[in-house]
Coordinates of all heavy atoms in Angstrom, one line a residue:
M1 N 9.9 5.9 -11.3 CA 10.8 5.2 -10.3 C 9.9 4.3 -9.4 O 8.9 4.7 -8.9 CB 11.4 6.3 -9.4 CG 12.4 5.8 -8.4 SD 13.4 7.1 -7.7 CE 12.2 7.9 -6.7
Q2 N 10.5 3.2 -9.1 CA 9.7 2.2 -8.3 C 9.6 2.7 -6.9 O 10.5 3.2 -6.3 CB 10.4 0.8 -8.4 CG 9.5 -0.2 -7.7 CD 10.2 -1.6 -7.9 OE1 11.3 -1.9 -7.5 NE2 9.4 -2.5 -8.5
H3 N 8.5 2.4 -6.3 CA 8.3 2.7 -4.9 C 7.5 1.5 -4.3 O 7.0 0.7 -5.0 CB 7.6 4.0 -4.7 CG 6.5 4.2 -5.7 ND1 6.7 4.7 -7.0 CD2 5.1 4.1 -5.5 CE1 5.5 4.8 -7.5 NE2 4.5 4.4 -6.7
F4 N 7.3 1.6 -3.0 CA 6.6 0.5 -2.4 C 5.5 1.1 -1.5 O 5.7 2.0 -0.7 CB 7.6 -0.3 -1.5 CG 8.7 -0.9 -2.3 CD1 9.8 -0.1 -2.7 CD2 8.6 -2.2 -2.7 CE1 10.8 -0.7 -3.5 CE2 9.6 -2.8 -3.5 CZ 10.7 -2.0 -3.9
I5 N 4.3 0.5 -1.6 CA 3.2 1.1 -0.9 C 2.5 0.0 -0.1 O 2.5 -1.2 -0.4 CB 2.2 1.7 -1.9 CG1 1.5 0.7 -2.8 CG2 2.9 2.8 -2.7 CD1 0.4 1.3 -3.6
C6 N 1.7 0.5 0.9 CA 0.9 -0.4 1.7 C -0.5 -0.3 1.2 O -1.0 0.8 1.0 CB 1.0 -0.1 3.2 SG -0.1 -1.1 4.2
T7 N -1.2 -1.5 1.0 CA -2.6 -1.4 0.6 C -3.5 -1.8 1.7 O -4.7 -2.1 1.5 CB -2.8 -2.5 -0.6 OG1 -2.4 -3.8 -0.1 CG2 -1.9 -2.1 -1.8
G8 N -3.0 -1.7 2.9 CA -3.9 -2.0 4.1 C -4.7 -0.8 4.6 O -5.5 -1.0 5.5
G9 N -4.6 0.3 4.0 CA -5.4 1.4 4.3 C -4.7 2.6 5.0 O -5.3 3.6 5.3
C10 N -3.4 2.4 5.3 CA -2.7 3.5 6.0 C -2.0 4.5 5.0 O -1.5 5.5 5.4 CB -1.6 2.9 6.9 SG -0.2 2.1 6.0
D11 N -2.1 4.2 3.7 CA -1.5 5.0 2.7 C 0.0 5.1 2.9 O 0.7 6.1 2.5 CB -2.1 6.4 2.7 CG -3.5 6.4 2.4 OD1 -3.9 5.6 1.5 OD2 -4.3 7.3 2.9
G12 N 0.6 4.1 3.5 CA 2.0 4.1 3.6 C 2.8 4.0 2.3 O 2.3 3.3 1.4
E13 N 3.9 4.7 2.2 CA 4.6 4.7 0.9 C 6.1 4.8 1.3 O 6.5 5.5 2.2 CB 4.2 5.8 0.0 CG 5.0 5.8 -1.3 CD 4.4 6.9 -2.2 OE1 3.3 7.3 -2.0 OE2 5.1 7.3 -3.1
S14 N 7.0 4.0 0.6 CA 8.4 4.1 0.8 C 9.1 3.9 -0.5 O 8.6 3.4 -1.4 CB 8.8 2.9 1.8 OG 10.2 2.9 2.0
S15 N 10.3 4.5 -0.5 CA 11.2 4.3 -1.7 C 12.0 3.1 -1.7 O 12.7 2.7 -2.6 CB 12.1 5.5 -1.8 OG 12.9 5.7 -0.7
T16 N 11.9 2.4 -0.5 CA 12.7 1.1 -0.4 C 11.8 0.0 0.1 O 10.7 0.3 0.7 CB 13.8 1.3 0.6 OG1 13.3 1.8 1.9 CG2 14.8 2.3 0.1
P17 N 12.1 -1.2 -0.2 CA 11.3 -2.4 0.3 C 11.2 -2.4 1.8 O 12.1 -1.9 2.5 CB 12.0 -3.6 -0.2 CG 12.9 -3.1 -1.3 CD 13.3 -1.7 -1.0
G18 N 10.1 -2.9 2.3 CA 10.0 -3.0 3.7 C 8.6 -3.5 4.1 O 7.9 -4.0 3.3
V19 N 8.3 -3.3 5.3 CA 7.0 -3.7 5.8 C 6.2 -2.5 6.4 O 6.8 -1.5 6.8 CB 7.1 -4.8 6.9 CG1 7.8 -6.1 6.4 CG2 7.8 -4.3 8.1
C20 N 4.9 -2.7 6.4 CA 4.1 -1.6 7.0 C 4.4 -1.5 8.5 O 4.5 -2.5 9.2 CB 2.6 -1.9 6.8 SG 1.5 -0.7 7.5
Q21 N 4.5 -0.2 8.9 CA 4.8 0.0 10.3 C 3.7 0.8 11.0 O 3.9 1.3 12.1 CB 6.1 0.7 10.4 CG 7.3 -0.1 9.9 CD 8.6 0.7 10.0 OE1 8.7 1.7 10.6 NE2 9.6 0.1 9.3
A22 N 2.6 0.9 10.4 CA 1.4 1.6 11.0 C 0.7 0.7 12.0 O 0.1 -0.3 11.6 CB 0.5 2.1 9.9
E23 N 0.7 1.0 13.2 CA 0.1 0.1 14.2 C -1.4 -0.2 14.0 O -1.8 -1.3 14.4 CB 0.3 0.7 15.6 CG 1.8 0.8 16.0 CD 1.9 1.3 17.4 OE1 0.8 1.6 18.0 OE2 3.0 1.5 17.9
D24 N -2.1 0.7 13.4 CA -3.5 0.5 13.3 C -3.9 0.1 11.9 O -5.0 0.2 11.5 CB -4.3 1.8 13.7 CG -3.9 3.0 12.9 OD1 -2.9 2.9 12.1 OD2 -4.5 4.0 13.0
C25 N -2.9 -0.3 11.1 CA -3.2 -0.7 9.7 C -3.5 -2.2 9.7 O -2.9 -3.0 10.4 CB -2.0 -0.4 8.8 SG -2.2 -0.9 7.1
K26 N -4.3 -2.6 8.7 CA -4.7 -4.0 8.6 C -3.5 -4.8 8.2 O -3.4 -6.0 8.4 CB -5.8 -4.2 7.5 CG -7.1 -3.7 8.0 CD -8.2 -4.2 7.0 CE -8.0 -3.6 5.6 NZ -9.2 -4.0 4.7
K27 N -2.5 -4.2 7.5 CA -1.3 -4.9 7.0 C -0.1 -4.6 7.8 O 1.0 -4.6 7.2 CB -1.2 -4.7 5.5 CG -2.3 -5.3 4.7 CD -1.9 -5.4 3.3 CE -3.0 -6.2 2.5 NZ -2.6 -6.5 1.1
E28 N -0.2 -4.2 9.0 CA 1.0 -3.9 9.8 C 1.9 -5.2 9.8 O 1.4 -6.3 10.0 CB 0.6 -3.6 11.3 CG 1.8 -3.3 12.1 CD 1.5 -3.4 13.6 OE1 0.4 -3.7 13.9 OE2 2.4 -3.1 14.4
G29 N 3.2 -5.0 9.5 CA 4.1 -6.1 9.5 C 4.1 -6.9 8.2 O 5.0 -7.7 8.0
E30 N 3.2 -6.5 7.3 CA 3.3 -7.2 6.0 C 4.1 -6.4 5.0 O 4.2 -5.2 5.1 CB 1.8 -7.4 5.5 CG 1.0 -8.3 6.4 CD -0.3 -8.7 5.8 OE1 -0.4 -8.7 4.5 OE2 -1.2 -9.0 6.5
A31 N 4.6 -7.1 4.0 CA 5.5 -6.5 3.1 C 4.7 -5.4 2.2 O 3.6 -5.6 1.8 CB 6.1 -7.5 2.1
L32 N 5.4 -4.4 2.0 CA 4.9 -3.3 1.1 C 4.9 -3.9 -0.4 O 5.7 -4.7 -0.7 CB 5.7 -2.1 1.1 CG 5.8 -1.5 2.5 CD1 6.8 -0.3 2.5 CD2 4.5 -1.0 3.1
T33 N 3.9 -3.3 -1.1 CA 3.8 -3.8 -2.5 C 4.5 -2.9 -3.5 O 4.3 -1.7 -3.4 CB 2.3 -3.8 -2.9 OG1 1.6 -4.6 -1.9 CG2 2.0 -4.3 -4.3
P34 N 5.3 -3.4 -4.3 CA 6.1 -2.6 -5.3 C 5.1 -2.0 -6.3 O 4.1 -2.6 -6.8 CB 7.0 -3.6 -6.0 CG 6.5 -4.9 -5.8 CD 5.7 -4.9 -4.5
C35 N 5.4 -0.7 -6.7 CA 4.5 0.0 -7.7 C 5.4 0.8 -8.5 O 6.5 1.3 -8.1 CB 3.5 0.8 -6.9 SG 2.4 1.8 -7.9
N36 N 5.0 1.0 -9.8 CA 5.8 1.8 -10.7 C 5.1 3.0 -11.3 O 5.4 3.5 -12.3 CB 6.3 0.9 -11.8 CG 7.4 -0.1 -11.4 OD1 8.5 0.3 -11.0 ND2 7.0 -1.3 -11.3
C37 N 4.0 3.4 -10.7 CA 3.2 4.5 -11.2 C 4.0 5.8 -11.2 O 4.9 5.9 -10.4 CB 1.9 4.6 -10.5 SG 2.0 5.4 -8.9
E38 N 3.6 6.7 -12.1 CA 4.3 8.0 -12.1 C 3.3 9.1 -11.7 O 3.7 10.3 -11.7 CB 4.9 8.2 -13.5 CG 6.0 7.2 -13.8 CD 6.7 7.6 -15.1 OE1 6.2 8.5 -15.8 OE2 7.7 6.9 -15.4
D39 N 2.1 8.8 -11.5 CA 1.1 9.8 -11.2 C 0.8 9.8 -9.7 O 0.0 10.7 -9.2 CB -0.1 9.6 -12.0 CG -0.7 8.2 -11.8 OD1 -0.3 7.5 -10.9 OD2 -1.7 7.9 -12.6
G40 N 1.4 8.9 -8.9 CA 1.1 9.0 -7.5 C -0.2 8.3 -7.1 O -0.5 8.4 -5.9
L41 N -0.9 7.7 -8.0 CA -2.2 7.2 -7.7 C -2.1 5.7 -7.4 O -3.0 5.1 -6.9 CB -3.2 7.4 -8.8 CG -3.5 8.9 -9.1 CD1 -4.4 9.0 -10.3 CD2 -4.1 9.6 -7.9
H42 N -0.9 5.1 -7.7 CA -0.7 3.7 -7.5 C -1.9 2.8 -8.1 O -2.3 1.8 -7.6 CB -0.6 3.4 -6.0 CG 0.2 4.3 -5.3 ND1 1.5 4.7 -5.6 CD2 -0.1 5.1 -4.2 CE1 2.0 5.6 -4.8 NE2 1.1 5.9 -3.9
G43 N -2.3 3.2 -9.3 CA -3.4 2.6 -9.9 C -3.2 1.1 -10.2 O -4.2 0.3 -10.2
E44 N -2.0 0.7 -10.4 CA -1.7 -0.7 -10.7 C -1.9 -1.6 -9.5 O -2.2 -2.8 -9.6 CB -0.3 -0.9 -11.1 CG 0.1 -0.1 -12.3 CD 1.6 -0.3 -12.6 OE1 2.3 -1.1 -12.0 OE2 2.2 0.4 -13.5
V45 N -1.8 -1.0 -8.3 CA -1.7 -1.8 -7.1 C -2.9 -1.7 -6.2 O -3.3 -2.6 -5.6 CB -0.4 -1.4 -6.3 CG1 -0.3 -2.1 -5.0 CG2 0.8 -1.6 -7.2
V46 N -3.4 -0.5 -6.1 CA -4.5 -0.2 -5.2 C -5.7 -0.9 -5.7 O -6.1 -0.7 -6.8 CB -4.7 1.3 -5.0 CG1 -5.9 1.5 -4.1 CG2 -3.4 1.9 -4.4
E47 N -6.3 -1.7 -4.9 CA -7.5 -2.4 -5.2 C -8.7 -1.5 -4.9 O -8.7 -0.6 -4.0 CB -7.6 -3.7 -4.5 CG -6.4 -4.6 -4.9 CD -6.4 -5.9 -4.0 OE1 -7.5 -6.2 -3.5 OE2 -5.4 -6.5 -3.9
K48 N -9.8 -1.9 -5.5 CA -11.0 -1.2 -5.1 C -11.3 -1.5 -3.6 O -11.0 -2.6 -3.1 CB -12.2 -1.8 -5.9 CG -12.2 -1.4 -7.3 CD -13.4 -1.9 -8.0 CE -13.4 -1.5 -9.5 NZ -14.6 -2.1 -10.2
K49 N -11.8 -0.5 -2.9 CA -12.0 -0.7 -1.5 C -13.3 -1.6 -1.3 O -14.4 -1.3 -1.8 CB -12.3 0.6 -0.8 CG -11.0 1.4 -0.7 CD -11.2 2.7 0.1 CE -9.9 3.4 0.3 NZ -10.1 4.6 1.1
D50 N -13.0 -2.7 -0.7 CA -14.2 -3.6 -0.4 C -14.8 -3.0 0.9 O -14.2 -2.4 1.7 CB -13.6 -5.0 -0.1 CG -13.0 -5.6 -1.3 OD1 -13.5 -5.4 -2.4 OD2 -12.1 -6.4 -1.1
E51 N -16.1 -3.3 1.0 CA -16.8 -2.9 2.2 C -16.6 -4.1 3.2 O -17.6 -4.7 3.6 CB -18.2 -2.6 1.9 CG -18.3 -1.4 1.0 CD -19.8 -1.0 0.8 OE1 -20.6 -1.5 1.6 OE2 -20.1 -0.2 -0.1
D52 N -15.4 -4.3 3.5 CA -15.1 -5.4 4.4 C -14.6 -4.9 5.7 O -13.4 -4.8 5.9 CB -14.1 -6.3 3.7 CG -13.8 -7.5 4.6 OD1 -14.5 -7.8 5.5 OD2 -12.7 -8.2 4.3
E53 N -15.5 -4.4 6.5 CA -15.1 -3.8 7.7 C -15.4 -4.7 8.9 O -16.2 -4.4 9.8 CB -15.8 -2.4 7.9 CG -15.4 -1.5 6.7 CD -16.1 -0.2 6.9 OE1 -16.6 0.1 8.0 OE2 -16.1 0.6 6.0
D54 N -14.8 -5.8 8.9 CA -15.1 -6.7 10.0 C -14.6 -6.2 11.3 O -13.4 -6.1 11.5 CB -14.5 -8.1 9.7 CG -14.9 -9.1 10.7 OD1 -15.9 -8.9 11.4 OD2 -14.2 -10.1 10.9
Ligands
LIG101 ZN1 -0.2 -0.1 6.2
LIG102 ZN1 2.6 4.1 -7.2

């Protein structure tokens, strides 16, 4: 079943389209990314974590 996740680091997940609402997330206010994984790992969508901690 399709779901929508945030890749900004807050681990946000929703069953409906929307935007991230985590105040301290890098992608707050940005659209969630659709994902169709069935194992809960969001492997198609989650990118390798960059060491980009500006
Ligand atoms: Zn987020
Ligand atoms: Zn997923």
Side-chain angles (χ1 to χ4, degrees):
M1 184 170 68
Q2 188 174 55
H3 45 276
F4 299 82
I5 65 170
C6 177
T7 58
C10 70
D11 295 327
E13 181 174 341
S14 175
S15 59
T16 56
V19 299
C20 177
Q21 298 179 12
E23 292 183 0
D24 58 351
C25 178
K26 287 192 297 185
K27 293 198 172 186
E28 180 196 5
E30 295 190 29
L32 301 175
T33 302
C35 179
N36 290 291
C37 77
E38 294 185 355
D39 56 10
L41 297 178
H42 317 306
E44 303 176 6
V45 176
V46 177
E47 301 175 18
K48 290 181 181 177
K49 289 188 177 179
D50 294 325
E51 295 187 13
D52 182 15
E53 300 180 11
D54 187 18

